Amino acid sequence: MTYKLWERFGVEMEFMIVDRDSLKVLPRADIPLGKDKDGNQLSDIEYDDIGLSNELASHVLEFKCAHPKSTFDGLGKQFFHEIRRANKKLEKINAMLLPSAAHPFMNPDEMQLWPYDCNEIYETYDCIFNCKGHGWANLQSTHLNLSFDGDSEFAELHAAIRLLLPLIPAIAASSPYLDGKYSSFKDARIEVYRHNQDKVPEITGEVIPEQAYSYDEYNRKIFDKVKKAIAPHDPEHLLNHFFLNSRGAIARFDRGAIEIRLVDIQECPNADIAIAEMEIATLKAIANGKFLTTAQSSASAQSKIPATMKEYRKFLQNFDTTKLAEILARTTKDAEDAIIDWPEFLTVFGMDFADETDKANRTGDADRTSGVKAGDIWKHIYCVAKNDLTEVSQNVMEKMLARGTLATALYKALGGAPTHEAFLTEYKKLADCLAHNRLYGMQA
């Protein structure tokens, strides 16, 4: 069934399974998934509104909306209930779910592919790309699926998503450590994600999807290139182009949805749901010009604002992919501290480059004299869009914006050269946050 724009959404959350004491990853997603009445291993199950399924790596378990949702009310609690159920099953083997988007010290060579359903597809990926790397074996995310119906609604949604993607690490980065040390990226998951398929670069592109605003245009600019590039590596045609496409947002024309894939998994479902609600509220505000109605009325700001909604929608579609990817590279590295200095981009969010630079000069904020911090953009977005969030998510988001990203909070606790014991201490705290559905580094 196809749903209209903004009518339905779906959320998917991925967590790794680890030993409770050593935090060593365990390839035991089979335990919470269980077996059918005939003793056959299950790869997916449903409990009311939440489903569980396997991923490529056997140490990763996915929780997802079993059916398209129309409201966020109570959704965090529903996810939390199933996370507790899975943790209870994992206790039998001294295992537990661990949040955050990347394990800080796992060796990706230890990764084991899921050996049951879809194994032939997973083995094909492994044969082509060698999945024993962080970009395959060590990255957990929260995906948000948004409905659309037809080319017009796709164009409106896709244009807004392309502008949101570069800002996502500035609110969601949670993966600063790899290989037992600081990676130099607050969002190391996205950095390795960018390169995990370099053998066939057409699959990921620039992570920011191309300027495509209809099925035919998307097919020509993306799908055709992906299918042509993978053909020599996949003679049996096992890999579907819908799944192969690995941009930061992928169009699923087969089910009338766009899936946003750049959000690092957080420390608890309430945090993940708050970010998902912020994504939707921001996208609606971009698409409907809500930020422009709140923009300061300076002459320089007004001169950039399109006069009609038709002109505005065209304006949103014309942002260069490479320049958006450059912003994403900054936020991938520095998260909320990344500096954004593209005037037209700031205009989308009702912010004026000249006004913000003057404000920074007057307040003596040397870090902002050449632009605006991405974290400040998110604080501005929240002020405009917060009434579109549930009360629970408003409370959570205000705490997260005040604290900073989970990556920044982890770095403040661990620094640039943590010991193994320090990793164990802090990441066990993260597991406890997941077990009690509360934020890291602050009171519930």
Side-chain angles (χ1 to χ4, degrees), residues 252-270:
R252 294 296 306 270
F253 292 101
D254 57 330
R255 63 188 189 196
I258 299 179
E259 181 179 291
I260 299 175
R261 314 177 87 185
L262 285 192
V263 177
D264 279 11
I265 193 79
Q266 302 299 299
E267 68 268 47
C268 66
N270 274 356

Side-chain angles (χ1 to χ4, degrees), residues 166-215:
L167 290 178
I168 284 178
I171 198 172
S174 73
S175 50
Y177 299 101
L178 292 175
D179 299 316
K181 60 182 183 294
Y182 181 56
S183 67
S184 80
F185 292 89
K186 292 286 184 70
D187 203 322
R189 181 190 72 88
I190 290 180
E191 179 60 18
V192 296
Y193 180 88
R194 288 177 55 229
H195 298 291
N196 67 352
Q197 295 174 96
D198 280 350
K199 188 174 182 179
V200 187
E202 293 85 353
I203 290 176
T204 304
E206 296 186 79
V207 181
I208 304 297
E210 290 84 336
Q211 293 167 265
Y213 301 111
S214 69
Y215 174 81

